[in-house]
Amino acid sequence: MSHPKDRVPPLSRREFLRRAAMTGVAVPSLAAILAACGSDSGGGGGGGSTGPSSGGLQLARPDNPVTLAVTDDNPAIADGLSPEAGPLKIFGYNDYIYKKVRNQFGDRYGVDVEYTVFDTPDEMVSKMQSNGSDFDLLVTVTLENVGKLAQGGLIQPLNKTYLPTFEDQLWTGIPDFYDVGRQYSAPYVVFTTGISCRNDLITDDIGAMDNPYDIFWDTTNEGQVHLLNGSRDTLATALLRGGYDPNEDDPAIMETIKQDLLDGADAMGWKYDHVDYTELSTNGWEIHGTWSGQMVYYQYYLPKGLDITSLSYSWPPQGAAGKPGLVSHDLFAISKGAANPVLAHNFIDFMYEPDNALANYTYEGYQPTVLSLDKETALAKGFLPPSLDYTFVTEDMLPMGVTELELAPAVNQLYQQIYQEVTGGA
Amino acid sequence: MARKDRGSSGAWFPRWFWPSFAGPAFVWLLLFFVLPFYVILSVAFGGLDQIFLTATPVYDPLHWTFGSFRDVATGLVTTHSIYQETFVRTLVYVGIATALSLLIGYPVAYFIARHAGRAKTFFLVAFIAPFWISYMMRMFSWVNLLQPEGYVNRVLRSLGVIQEPRLWLNGKPSTVVLGLVYGYVPYMILPLYGMLDRIDRATLEAARDLGGSQARTFFRVTLPLSRQAILAGCVIVALPMFGDYFTQTLLASTRQTAMFGNLIVSSMDSSLVNQGASLVIILIVALALPMFYYLRSTNAARELAER
Amino acid sequence: MSATATSLGARVRGWTMNPWARAHFLWVIAIAYVVWTLLPVFIAVAFSFNAGKAQTTWQGFSLTRWYVSDVNSLWKDETLRSALFQSLKLSSLVVLIAVPFGVGFALALDRWQARSASVSNFLMLFSFITPEIAIGVGLFLMFTQLVSGVGLGFKAQLVGLSMFEMAYPVIVVRARLLSIGKQYEEAAMDLGATPIGAMRRVLFPMLSPAIFASVAIVFASAIDNFVISQRLSVDASTQTIPIIIYSSARRSPLPSLNALATVTLVSSTVLVAAAALLYRRFTRIERGSPA
């Protein structure tokens, strides 16, 4: 049996697929695939014990939990191994783990920590397919990708014997329907997706609006509005505005969404990014689609003369009209061909230690899914600005929101094509 | 005994002697230039993986399927499709930028070749400098200058040309075109300078002696002689510019200014790899004619020089 | 008042109506061009010495903040330092492959009479004018699908980039070979040298200016390369300077990025200047000035 540390070329996942009896189909054009998919989801969407699925792939939903298979050719590492020599290679969003915390880990284990950045979850999946074994630890595996990565054999099962603190400190309110038993993933941070606004420049009360998402299409703010990038987040803005499910798969509805986005992009001159905090320092925006953690992060990027109270966050479920909004959490995962899997496990455990979780929170603003940190502590220690205390995700907020989840492959590709057309490949 | 050949220098060399010098380079080209193109074809005409819907290449031409490529090609001829809009827009940007490069580059090249006198070395260095200064650094400098509170706006405001800071980086085609010109004009100047420098002074003096004014000498002697160089310059500028995507991303990054290269790159960075490969094929096909024309004319020009 | 006005007007008119007036017009254009091309770069270099974090407002002069002292400076930020090291490493190795291969190719094309020479030549020129994104995508697909055992990363960047840069030495050396001609080697062999000896002792010294020029050109071009290196890069350890500049430029970069760019600029300039001086020294013999 080969040692899990041996690098495995990406071809092996195709072997896995063949063995799992996924018939390779001589591919017709994408239109034909979509047509077939449309008829599939029309039939299989109703109730019953089997939720949405696509040609054998189980798509996890809250009412359709998925237990990811652990197979012999992708086993977890053995117990009791000692940490490797490093360097530990982490792959995540930019600035998503506080550098000091990374360095502290490096000091404790005597290893170097390298951090590679990706811009969108789509890019992460692409890179994992071509060079996954170059990375050890993945930060920000989003819920919609974890099933794909596990079933495609790109991430390895976790060995919980290395994660005692994790088991101890994990906030149990976090659901695990996408990976029952948390075999492949460990939650990192929890957040909501909402609308950030410069209340010194914008007089509208976004929370009180009938449909807060309309603010993105409001031409009085033309040129000053940015959306979150990434095919799911950008399209979710239009989907939620139209009252649809962020995992919508009806091609006709997607066509109207595309049109909404194209109209908006032309009229509003949107930019798409998630670096609202750095743009804040150059007054680059007045309205920005954002994640709740960014709001706390802003404190460190305020330009001269601007106070944190000039920034407001609006999460539509908390607004007057109670419109739907996204809530989610990001995950750690370990890549299959990781050269340092033990270190990767150690890092996950390290992040769950109360001191480290707090230290990371002070810089990141994204709240870790740990029992040791709650709203009172964050406020008391001065890390959470009082004017933004409602951005802290509490347990009662979790059922209020909806989540972006895995889509059938053809639908995913449709989303990416719409995204490409709306953003012009930016 | 290996057959020997009387090489052009008159000495006896074995037949394989000179070609062997080309061996390593030729192998390198085959492996890393020709073979990748074959892989592009195999991916564009290949299959799709089930879970990720990414490309699985098919290396046997007999099993190639053209459905995906046909989708992209029909998209290209469908009006208002993203493919066609982007392609046409790229043509327009490249056309304007090449023309502007010529308009700026020709006088500069002419000046350095003919009128610089003792300052010639200085101007030569200044004109060659962009070749060793990183393109990214040059564009990055402009990004900083064009910010709303950057120096360009400050100078324009103090001169009273504009009242409000102008948002250069908010998706203005003019910014993108000027950025392209800035980046590529040195490549235009290169062949132009080479040609203009070689025009014999005696030829021009003869024209003047025969009664031609400055303008006439220019239009009837200098310009026709530099025609080949102008074409070379336009091709050297336009061909790479067509595949440029990073200039637009740095200076605008909006859908209204997206170029063909942006489509290719965003396809490759997501799961639309089939589409990306098809778009690359379309790019090569679209540029094939100018490329072949350029290759033939450089061949012809060199044969002329060798005679 | 009117007298001075008319004399001023007369002088201006005289200046513009001068038969060599076009030269003045060209001087203006040329100087404007130099300013337009180089001033932005000098401003970027200047901002690497900015005392504050801004890229658009001068906040005072600080010699070392972004080079050595700040926690995000070029010296202390390992992403920037590693990019600098990677760029230098990649470019040097590319030179070591591309220049010998290219020089050999040029020699072969010059001396080889068969028709297959023109096929090779054609292939070489084709690699020169194909849009870089097409080559980049092709290499990317090849290294992820066909030879996925090698995969993306430094090796892929090295072979891909050295292929792309090979055309420069070929063009430069061929031009030089054309102007040298064959008479020197023939003379040497008439005087009794072996063909290899003639090549070693006559041809290569005469080619050395072109070889130096090729080294400088390939190095400068490789260190500036973006599209191919980015397509074939994987993680932070395979990122080169242009890749770092590109990804940071869109996110409110710190002046330490300017510092990195300045250091690259200075090293390229030093290398090019050295190559130019060596070139002049080696061609001095031909140009007839005293050695």
Side-chain angles (χ1 to χ4, degrees):
Chain A
M1 186 153 135
S2 61
H3 194 279
K5 276 205 263 184
D6 290 342
R7 296 198 168 205
V8 182
L11 271 169
S12 66
R13 70 175 164 81
R14 282 198 212 108
E15 295 303 319
F16 169 72
L17 287 179
R18 272 184 220 119
R19 254 179 269 167
M22 300 233 167
T23 53
V25 181
V27 180
S29 64
L30 185 64
I33 295 178
L34 275 178
C37 159
S39 62
D40 248 350
S41 64
S49 50
T50 51
S53 67
S54 163
L57 265 182
Q58 284 290 315
L59 303 177
R61 293 290 183 269
D63 54 356
N64 180 38
V66 165
T67 310
L68 297 170
V70 178
T71 59
D72 285 336
D73 47 321
N74 188 9
I77 56 175
D79 296 347
L81 298 172
S82 50
E84 303 90 353
L88 179 66
K89 296 191 167 189
I90 307 183
F91 194 31
Y93 267 117
N94 58 304
D95 262 342
Y96 211 33
I97 304 184
Y98 190 15
K99 200 170 184 184
K100 248 199 192 157
V101 171
R102 284 186 260 148
N103 290 345
Q104 280 170 352
F105 177 83
D107 291 337
R108 185 195 286 191
Y109 285 87
V111 295
D112 283 332
V113 180
E114 274 177 30
Y115 196 85
T116 308
V117 170
F118 61 79
D119 202 38
T120 61
D122 291 329
E123 188 188 323
M124 190 251 314
V125 172
S126 292
K127 274 256 167 74
M128 283 305 292
Q129 289 171 262
S130 57
N131 269 73
S133 53
D134 274 357
F135 303 107
D136 298 317
L137 180 67
L138 307 177
V139 181
T140 332
V141 178
T142 45
L143 300 193
E144 76 257 15
N145 282 327
V146 67
K148 243 190 291 209
L149 290 173
Q151 286 169 315
L154 295 178
I155 53 179
Q156 58 172 279
L158 300 176
N159 183 333
K160 303 285 179 46
T161 63
Y162 294 98
L163 305 173
T165 327
F166 161 70
E167 307 255 75
D168 191 44
Q169 292 285 326
L170 176 64
W171 182 12
T172 43
I174 302 282
D176 70 345
F177 55 87
Y178 50 87
D179 178 15
V180 171
R182 303 199 189 286
Q183 298 180 96
Y184 282 90
S185 59
Y188 172 42
V189 292
V190 65
F191 56 90
T192 56
T193 307
I195 307 166
S196 165
C197 131
R198 289 280 301 268
N199 57 39
D200 55 330
L201 298 170
I202 303 279
T203 46
D204 303 286
D205 183 359
I206 301 180
M209 288 172 70
D210 270 342
N211 190 346
Y213 296 102
D214 281 337
I215 194 81
F216 288 110
W217 274 259
D218 186 349
T219 47
T220 51
N221 306 314
E222 189 238 330
Q224 299 292 335
V225 180
H226 295 204
L227 265 61
L228 282 170
N229 64 345
S231 59
R232 300 303 302 274
D233 279 324
T234 310
L235 268 64
T237 316
L239 282 165
L240 292 170
R241 177 192 186 218
Y244 300 110
D245 186 341
N247 306 304
E248 185 59 61
D249 57 7
D250 183 343
I253 297 179
M254 293 316 294
E255 188 59 38
T256 59
I257 293 295
K258 178 168 104 170
Q259 209 42 60
D260 282 346
L261 286 169
L262 288 176
D263 294 338
D266 287 335
M268 298 293 295
W270 290 326
K271 291 221 171 202
Y272 313 89
D273 58 69
H274 55 268
V275 288
D276 31 333
Y277 49 96
T278 56
E279 290 167 348
L280 187 62
S281 55
T282 53
N283 294 308
W285 50 268
E286 291 173 6
I287 308 238
H288 208 302
T290 194
W291 300 304
S292 55
Q294 311 273 84
M295 302 301 301
V296 177
Y297 206 27
Y298 288 166
Q299 297 174 85
Y300 312 114
Y301 286 88
L302 294 168
K304 244 197 208 69
L306 194 67
D307 189 64
I308 190 71
T309 51
S310 304
L311 290 150
S312 321
Y313 178 72
S314 163
W315 192 45
Q318 287 176 321
K323 283 283 177 188
L326 294 172
V327 64
S328 190
H329 52 279
D330 280 342
L331 304 163
F332 286 115
I334 301 183
S335 110
K336 179 174 176 192
N340 303 286
V342 179
L343 273 180
H345 281 90
N346 292 143
F347 194 91
I348 299 177
D349 212 51
F350 183 81
M351 294 303 291
Y352 268 84
E353 290 170 22
D355 291 335
N356 301 324
L358 184 64
N360 197 38
Y361 173 72
T362 64
Y363 182 72
E364 292 296 324
Y366 282 90
Q367 68 195 84
T369 48
V370 292
L371 294 169
S372 55
L373 183 67
D374 57 7
K375 196 189 230 176
E376 286 67 39
T377 323
L379 276 171
K381 298 214 164 166
F383 301 124
L384 181 62
S387 63
L388 291 171
D389 64 348
Y390 54 91
T391 64
F392 201 90
V393 180
T394 50
E395 186 136 8
D396 52 310
M397 286 163 74
L398 293 178
M400 288 167 73
V402 290
T403 314
E404 288 163 344
L405 296 166
E406 190 170 349
L407 298 169
V411 179
N412 195 35
Q413 208 162 64
L414 175 63
Y415 272 61
Q416 287 179 341
Q417 281 179 324
I418 295 179
Y419 180 66
Q420 185 184 61
E421 189 162 346
V422 168
T423 62
Chain B
M1 186 90 149
R3 278 229 342 246
K4 294 206 177 162
D5 185 25
R6 199 170 186 95
S8 51
S9 59
W12 290 102
F13 288 121
R15 212 175 203 150
W16 49 262
F17 183 70
W18 286 119
S20 68
F21 274 61
F26 192 69
V27 168
W28 222 239
L29 275 177
L30 269 183
L31 282 179
F32 304 118
F33 181 63
V34 178
L35 192 53
F37 273 113
Y38 189 73
V39 178
I40 294 183
L41 291 173
S42 310
V43 166
F45 304 139
L48 289 178
D49 161 299
Q50 279 301 308
I51 289 189
F52 297 94
L53 265 193
T54 53
T56 45
V58 170
Y59 296 110
D60 181 359
L62 296 173
H63 289 123
W64 280 351
T65 53
F66 299 95
S68 158
F69 181 76
R70 204 181 13 242
D71 280 337
V72 175
T74 42
L76 193 65
V77 293
T78 319
T79 39
H80 294 311
S81 76
I82 185 179
Y83 303 128
Q84 192 185 66
E85 277 187 4
T86 316
F87 189 83
V88 169
R89 184 187 306 130
T90 312
L91 267 177
V92 170
Y93 285 7
V94 170
I96 298 180
T98 311
L100 278 177
S101 304
L102 186 60
L103 277 173
I104 297 178
Y106 199 97
V108 175
Y110 190 81
F111 169 82
I112 301 179
R114 305 239 65 91
H115 290 275
R118 268 171 293 188
K120 191 167 186 178
T121 334
F122 166 75
F123 280 103
L124 268 179
V125 170
F127 129 63
I128 289 192
F131 285 106
W132 82 74
I133 301 179
S134 161
Y135 184 99
M136 277 303 152
M137 182 182 186
R138 298 193 293 139
M139 273 314 145
F140 170 58
S141 326
W142 273 108
V143 170
N144 287 329
L145 291 176
L146 292 173
Q147 296 282 354
E149 66 282 352
Y151 282 119
V152 169
N153 272 340
R154 281 204 234 165
V155 165
L156 288 177
R157 285 177 87 177
S158 64
L159 286 178
V161 176
I162 52 174
Q163 261 52 29
E164 286 281 307
R166 190 173 145 94
L167 300 169
W168 298 97
L169 300 173
N170 266 38
K172 294 200 169 1
S174 49
T175 314
V176 176
V177 171
L178 284 175
L180 287 171
V181 172
Y182 181 80
Y184 287 89
V185 79
Y187 295 94
M188 176 65 84
I189 295 183
L190 194 60
L192 289 178
Y193 169 76
M195 180 79 240
L196 290 169
D197 198 41
R198 257 185 274 158
I199 293 181
D200 202 358
R201 217 185 167 84
T203 319
L204 291 178
E205 285 179 2
R208 298 293 305 280
D209 289 342
L210 288 170
S213 71
Q214 263 214 329
R216 259 182 122 202
T217 318
F218 177 74
F219 281 107
R220 303 198 106 208
V221 179
T222 315
L223 206 51
L225 276 178
S226 40
R227 206 174 34 155
Q228 174 69 17
I230 292 180
L231 272 165
C234 288
V235 169
I236 293 181
V237 163
L239 285 184
M241 213 191 267
F242 214 91
D244 187 303
Y245 65 93
F246 38 91
T247 311
Q248 192 273 131
T249 318
L250 282 176
L251 294 177
S253 187
T254 60
R255 91 179 202 93
Q256 289 89 334
T257 51
M259 293 180 68
F260 205 70
N262 289 103
L263 268 188
I264 296 180
V265 165
S266 66
S267 303
M268 298 303 298
D269 280 342
S270 62
S271 73
L272 306 167
V273 174
N274 262 35
Q275 181 179 299
S278 305
L279 288 171
V280 169
I281 295 178
I282 290 180
L283 178 71
I284 301 287
V285 166
L287 296 179
L289 216 59
M291 278 159 89
F292 271 105
Y293 174 75
Y294 175 71
L295 288 175
R296 297 204 70 191
S297 63
T298 39
N299 255 336
R302 195 167 6 92
E303 266 148 39
L304 211 60
E306 277 171 9
R307 245 178 245 144
Chain C
M1 179 68 179
S2 58
T4 42
T6 22
S7 71
L8 189 64
R11 279 173 68 194
V12 170
R13 233 180 305 119
W15 192 83
T16 48
M17 288 181 61
N18 185 308
W20 300 107
R22 188 190 284 142
H24 292 160
F25 167 68
L26 285 176
W27 269 95
V28 168
I29 291 191
I31 294 192
Y33 173 76
V34 172
V35 169
W36 178 58
T37 304
L38 296 180
L39 188 60
V41 175
F42 287 135
I43 295 182
V45 168
F47 267 91
S48 69
F49 298 108
N50 194 13
K53 281 204 287 192
Q55 289 277 5
T56 49
T57 341
W58 185 250
Q59 294 164 317
F61 184 88
S62 158
L63 182 61
T64 54
R65 179 173 178 189
W66 299 108
Y67 285 88
V68 227
S69 43
D70 191 285
V71 71
N72 285 312
S73 69
L74 178 54
W75 183 248
K76 298 223 174 116
D77 186 346
E78 67 274 0
T79 328
L80 296 178
R81 242 190 357 217
S82 119
L84 182 59
F85 177 66
Q86 274 302 115
S87 273
L88 290 174
K89 183 168 108 172
L90 183 63
S91 309
S92 316
L93 289 176
V94 165
V95 165
L96 284 178
I97 296 181
V99 173
F101 283 17
V103 170
F105 199 74
L107 278 171
L109 285 180
D110 192 59
R111 304 294 161 97
W112 183 10
Q113 301 298 323
R115 194 171 303 153
S116 23
S118 55
V119 170
S120 309
N121 182 44
F122 178 81
L123 209 55
M124 173 69 67
L125 277 178
F126 210 80
S127 79
F128 189 60
I129 56 174
T130 310
E132 206 178 336
I133 184 66
I135 300 183
V137 167
L139 286 168
F140 173 84
L141 288 175
M142 185 172 92
F143 281 107
T144 53
Q145 305 283 355
L146 188 56
V147 284
S148 45
V150 176
L152 306 175
F154 183 72
K155 282 187 227 156
Q157 286 175 322
L158 182 59
V159 296
L161 198 51
S162 55
M163 181 282 296
F164 187 65
E165 302 291 345
M166 244 177 4
Y168 289 110
V170 173
I171 292 175
V172 171
V173 169
R174 270 203 92 180
R176 182 92 179 122
L177 279 172
L178 270 177
S179 68
I180 291 179
K182 309 207 170 69
Q183 65 266 34
Y184 296 101
E185 270 175 276
E186 286 175 355
M189 284 187 285
D190 287 343
L191 290 171
T194 62
I196 306 277
M199 227 174 27
R200 207 160 51 85
R201 310 189 90 201
V202 175
L203 184 59
F204 276 125
M206 298 195 76
L207 271 184
S208 45
I211 298 184
F212 281 125
S214 308
V215 167
I217 292 176
V218 171
F219 188 82
S221 173
I223 222 175
D224 185 24
N225 182 275
F226 173 69
V227 179
I228 291 184
S229 342
Q230 198 213 30
R231 283 295 109 202
L232 302 176
S233 75
V234 184
D235 55 12
S237 67
T238 49
Q239 286 189 317
T240 59
I241 295 173
I243 299 175
I244 293 260
I245 296 183
Y246 179 76
S247 53
S248 309
R250 303 154 70 187
R251 300 170 213 238
S252 294
L254 292 170
S256 44
L257 199 65
N258 301 49
L260 177 64
T262 309
V263 168
T264 322
L265 173 64
V266 167
S267 24
S268 298
T269 311
V270 164
L271 184 83
V272 169
L277 283 172
L278 282 169
Y279 187 97
R280 288 185 79 106
R281 194 165 159 271
F282 274 90
T283 52
R284 196 176 287 164
I285 303 154
E286 281 174 40
R287 286 186 280 115
S289 18

